[in-house]
Amino acid sequence: VNSGWWDDLDGLRYTVIESYFQPDEDDTCYADRTKECIDQRLSSCKTDCAKAYESFMCYLQQYGSLKSSEEYIPLTRLEAIQVAVDCINILQVSDDLLNQISQGEIPDVPEVHCLYRCQYLGEGVYDTQYRFNFSRLYIRHYDTPSPEFLGEEIYSCAQSTLEANSDECTGVFRARECFPVSDRPSRTVTILTTAAGVALDQKRCEPPIYRVPYLPEIPFIQIDPAGPLVENVPYK
């Protein structure tokens, strides 16, 4: 669970666990062997712990060698939603726009452009200096594996789009059009839709905050004809 490749709700995250193993370059059957192993070992009557263990052993025995390097661990869905809520608060997204997003509408406006950029930054798949990390994007989309993320065509398309837009937020938003399209809403859309609803609920539930106005002490110089000057005497 801590390595990101298993979730008790989603089960095995194939793109994530694959990143921990290196297949032999001469082995062309490792993927089929691993799939067959998992199909045989992961019976419905086993516990989640047993399923996770058997999945790992299938990859260890059939897929390739276990890497010793540090690998990207994608955020869980709840963690990604929290990142989106934080971005909404940081960017001070308006209630009207949140209502639209919560209904699955993603307007093509500057505020949404920056929301996408913030989300990608928060999930570690985009960097202001190095731009998109496509290996991480591929792993991040564990629920809809898209090997196309690793292709040169998408990389070139995204880089060209970023360079063609002087505004970084807009470039990031437009670059997503280069990504593979599935028959269901993208991961980012579902995350932002949920987060917008959460942010609206938080605003409705928060009671008004009444703060006592801050009245600083006003220093002044008191003049005493019979004595020396006395500085910084609090005003009363």
Side-chain angles (χ1 to χ4, degrees), residues 7-85:
D7 184 274
D8 289 343
L9 294 177
D10 298 331
L12 180 62
R13 297 171 174 174
Y14 295 94
T15 59
V16 182
I17 195 171
E18 286 173 9
S19 67
Y20 288 94
F21 293 88
Q22 180 61 54
D24 188 287
E25 58 182 12
D26 297 325
D27 187 355
T28 59
C29 302
Y30 64 90
D32 291 337
R33 288 200 313 272
T34 305
K35 182 180 183 304
E36 182 179 352
C37 176
I38 290 175
D39 291 342
Q40 291 176 352
R41 295 191 184 184
L42 266 65
S43 61
S44 58
C45 60
K46 291 186 176 181
T47 64
D48 289 330
C49 289
K51 290 179 181 178
Y53 172 77
E54 294 293 355
S55 298
F56 179 82
M57 293 307 297
C58 282
Y59 272 85
L60 182 63
Q61 296 169 356
Q62 306 296 337
Y63 195 89
S65 303
L66 186 62
K67 297 178 182 178
S68 59
S69 57
E70 293 185 1
E71 300 299 324
Y72 169 68
I73 300 177
L75 301 184
T76 65
R77 198 174 300 276
L78 288 178
E79 290 172 336
I81 290 171
Q82 183 58 57
V83 167
V85 172

Side-chain angles (χ1 to χ4, degrees), residues 108-148:
D108 188 350
V109 294
E111 292 86 348
V112 172
H113 298 175
C114 287
L115 186 56
Y116 264 78
R117 175 183 175 275
C118 183
Q119 184 67 28
Y120 288 146
L121 284 169
E123 291 196 57
V125 296
Y126 179 80
D127 181 89
T128 55
Q129 180 179 357
Y130 300 106
R131 306 302 178 93
F132 283 107
N133 186 313
F134 292 95
S135 296
R136 290 186 174 187
L137 277 170
Y138 169 68
I139 295 172
R140 174 185 182 260
H141 283 67
Y142 54 79
D143 48 354
T144 53
S146 302
E148 297 88 345

